């Protein structure tokens, strides 16, 4: 069966309030959205799923605000980014993830994160903004233009955050012998 | 020299992430849970259908009231009661009752109503029926669309 485009599904949701069409969008984007949160929370699967659910519910409630100026995935990532920052603010966390969140990595391992323990350790060296940009760029393969649209930062800022994040990552990798592989 | 260092960092980070490229996450009922948690609100379609039904219903009531049908029906009911009482009083003894085949009460009342409201057949009645049908069709369409969704 031919797959409907994102825009066709969004149109069905907007015009007919179709839950079936929205369900298809959820199925299509659950993996990248949940993965995005897994990287930001350093592998806390339960928290990631809660935040991902909140993201999709907000998307459902605000779908009329989607103006087709960007791709649907970019719009969804933008909501996910805002949901994550609301969560951080509500927990009064500022720059680095706190210890309890880091501990959660060891108590609630996720199948898909499994061997990416190194990724989590490496990502913990980064500030939140750097981590968001690095994960979106390298793991979700978003362009700098898209990252700017998702985060609301100017493209120059995104490039700067990517460069700083990359330097920190390289330093961590070298310190752990990755450059000798 | 600096450019070389940057390039080296970039290659190292690129290699690291390409080795750790994430696989898609299995749904495992996540989508179903999201759909169950979606807030149920009156859709735009529901609101339009409700407004349409209220409009049609009000129109039907106004037309019926304006046509004077109720007053005529009331008069007919009153006359009918009078006739029944009169007939009952003149036939107090069951022995004097006429045979059932000659009872003409239902025929009389229906004929009277028909005579009292001749314009109903081609005036208000089809309009009221049409509006009622539109209401029913709206309900059916809304339910069909909802079932499809």
């Amino acid at each position: 069966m031919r797959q409907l485009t994102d825009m066709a599904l969004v149109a069905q949701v907007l015009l007919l309030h179709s839950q079936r069409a929205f369900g298809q969008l959820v199925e299509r984007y659950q993996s990248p959205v949940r993965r995005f949160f897994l990287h930001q929370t350093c592998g806390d699967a339960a928290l990631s799923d809660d935040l991902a659910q909140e993201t999709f519910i907000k998307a459902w409630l605000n779908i009329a605000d989607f103006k087709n100026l960007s791709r649907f995935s970019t719009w969804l990532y933008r909501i996910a980014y805002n949901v994550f920052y609301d969560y951080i603010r509500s927990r009064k966390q500022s720059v680095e993830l706190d210890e309890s969140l880091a501990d959660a990595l060891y108590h609630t391992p996720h199948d898909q994160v499994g061997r990416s323990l190194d990724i989590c350790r490496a990502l913990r060296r980064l500030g939140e903004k750097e981590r968001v940009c690095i994960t979106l760029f390298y793991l979700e393969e978003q362009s700098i233009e898209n990252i700017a649209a998702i985060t609301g930062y100017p493209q120059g800022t995104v490039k700067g955050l990517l460069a700083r994040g990359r330097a920190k990552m390289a330093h961590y990798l070298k310190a752990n012998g990755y450059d000798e592989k | 020299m600096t450019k070389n260092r940057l390039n080296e960092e970039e290659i190292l980070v690129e290699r690291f992430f390409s080795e750790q490229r994430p696989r898609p996450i299995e749904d495992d009922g996540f989508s179903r849970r999201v759909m169950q948690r979606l807030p149920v609100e009156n859709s735009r379609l529901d609101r339009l259908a409700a407004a349409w039904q209220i409009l049609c219903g009000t129109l039907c009531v106004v037309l019926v009231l304006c046509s004077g049908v109720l007053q005529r029906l009331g008069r007919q009911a009153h006359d009918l009661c009078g006739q029944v009482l009169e007939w009952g009083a003149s036939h107090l003894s069951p022995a004097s009752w006429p045979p059932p085949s000659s009872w003409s009460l239902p025929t009389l009342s229906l004929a009277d109503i028909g005579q009292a409201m001749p314009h109903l057949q081609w005036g208000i009645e089809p309009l009221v029926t049409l509006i009622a049908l539109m209401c029913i069709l709206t309900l059916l369409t809304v339910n069909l669309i909802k079932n499809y969704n």
Side-chain angles (χ1 to χ4, degrees):
Chain A
M1 203 177 91
R2 189 175 66 88
Q3 279 232 322
L4 289 172
T5 62
D6 288 353
M7 273 319 296
L9 291 171
V10 169
Q12 281 188 32
V13 177
L14 272 172
L15 297 174
L16 302 173
H17 229 62
S18 169
Q19 288 198 6
R20 181 183 289 187
F22 189 75
Q24 286 184 50
L25 287 169
V26 175
E27 282 170 19
R28 198 173 285 183
Y29 287 106
Q30 60 86 19
S31 176
V33 170
R34 287 163 82 192
R35 204 168 49 210
F36 170 77
F37 284 120
L38 275 171
H39 289 134
Q40 307 315 312
T41 60
C42 285
D44 187 338
L47 176 60
S48 298
D49 279 8
D50 283 350
L51 294 174
Q53 278 198 23
E54 200 179 327
T55 299
F56 283 111
I57 289 169
K58 283 197 170 171
W60 166 258
L61 291 173
N62 299 298
I63 195 124
D65 295 340
F66 176 59
K67 302 294 182 202
N68 199 20
L69 296 173
S70 61
R71 288 188 306 176
F72 179 74
S73 60
T74 307
W75 182 73
L76 199 59
Y77 271 124
R78 174 111 183 109
I79 295 177
Y81 174 79
N82 288 332
V83 165
F84 181 66
Y85 266 84
D86 286 346
Y87 168 76
I88 293 290
R89 271 194 291 269
S90 74
R91 286 299 195 91
K92 293 187 170 52
Q93 289 173 326
S94 52
V95 180
E96 295 294 333
L97 292 171
D98 66 9
E99 288 303 314
S100 63
L101 205 56
D103 288 344
L105 170 68
Y106 301 100
H107 292 299
T108 54
H110 194 283
D111 290 348
Q112 305 303 324
V113 174
R115 75 192 174 108
S116 63
L117 193 66
D118 291 334
I119 279 197
C120 288
R121 281 186 179 157
L123 289 175
R124 282 185 62 203
R125 300 296 184 278
L126 308 178
E128 281 167 16
K129 291 175 181 177
E130 292 160 359
R131 184 163 47 237
V132 167
C133 291
I134 287 280
T135 52
L136 284 173
F137 188 76
Y138 284 106
L139 297 171
E140 303 304 330
E141 295 177 337
Q142 296 290 323
S143 65
I144 288 174
E145 192 184 1
N146 275 353
I147 297 172
I150 290 164
T151 57
Y153 305 142
Q155 287 190 28
T157 308
V158 173
K159 284 178 188 166
L161 287 166
L162 277 174
R164 275 204 297 278
R166 200 156 36 218
K168 285 184 187 177
M169 289 285 294
H171 183 264
Y172 171 78
L173 293 175
K174 278 179 189 169
N176 286 276
Y178 276 92
D179 57 336
E180 291 160 11
K181 278 187 181 177
Chain B
M1 185 73 178
T2 313
K3 199 172 180 180
N4 278 346
R5 188 177 58 81
L6 285 177
N7 221 358
E8 190 186 319
E9 282 178 355
E10 206 166 323
I11 290 167
L12 186 64
V13 173
E14 185 83 52
R15 197 183 74 198
F16 172 72
F17 279 116
S18 65
E19 282 172 5
Q20 313 271 349
R21 192 71 67 201
R23 289 167 296 170
I25 297 177
E26 291 298 319
D27 192 293
D28 286 334
F30 174 83
S31 301
R32 185 178 42 79
R33 288 195 296 278
V34 169
M35 296 312 289
Q36 282 171 350
R37 274 195 59 195
L38 285 187
V40 180
E41 56 165 17
N42 279 341
S43 69
R44 196 176 300 169
L45 192 68
D46 282 336
R47 288 196 294 270
L48 276 175
W52 178 246
Q53 284 162 40
I54 290 169
L55 183 74
C56 289
T58 313
L59 211 59
C60 284
V61 171
V62 168
L63 282 172
V64 167
L65 289 177
C66 291
S67 67
V69 168
L70 289 180
Q71 289 91 325
R72 284 196 201 96
L73 280 176
R75 269 204 302 276
Q76 283 299 313
H78 182 263
D79 292 350
L80 190 63
C81 288
Q83 283 173 16
V84 168
L85 286 174
E86 196 179 327
W87 181 83
S90 61
H91 296 82
L92 278 176
S93 166
S96 61
W97 287 3
S101 57
S102 67
W103 290 3
S104 57
L105 191 61
T107 320
L108 179 74
S109 64
L110 283 177
D112 276 1
I113 291 171
Q115 279 174 3
M117 305 178 290
H119 69 284
L120 252 188
Q121 301 220 330
W122 306 109
I124 301 297
E125 206 172 42
L127 198 58
V128 173
T129 312
L130 185 70
I131 293 170
L133 273 176
M134 281 161 73
C135 268
I136 293 166
L137 274 176
T138 311
L139 273 175
L140 285 175
T141 314
V142 168
N143 280 328
L144 274 176
I145 292 172
K146 276 184 155 181
N147 285 338
Y148 170 75
N149 287 341

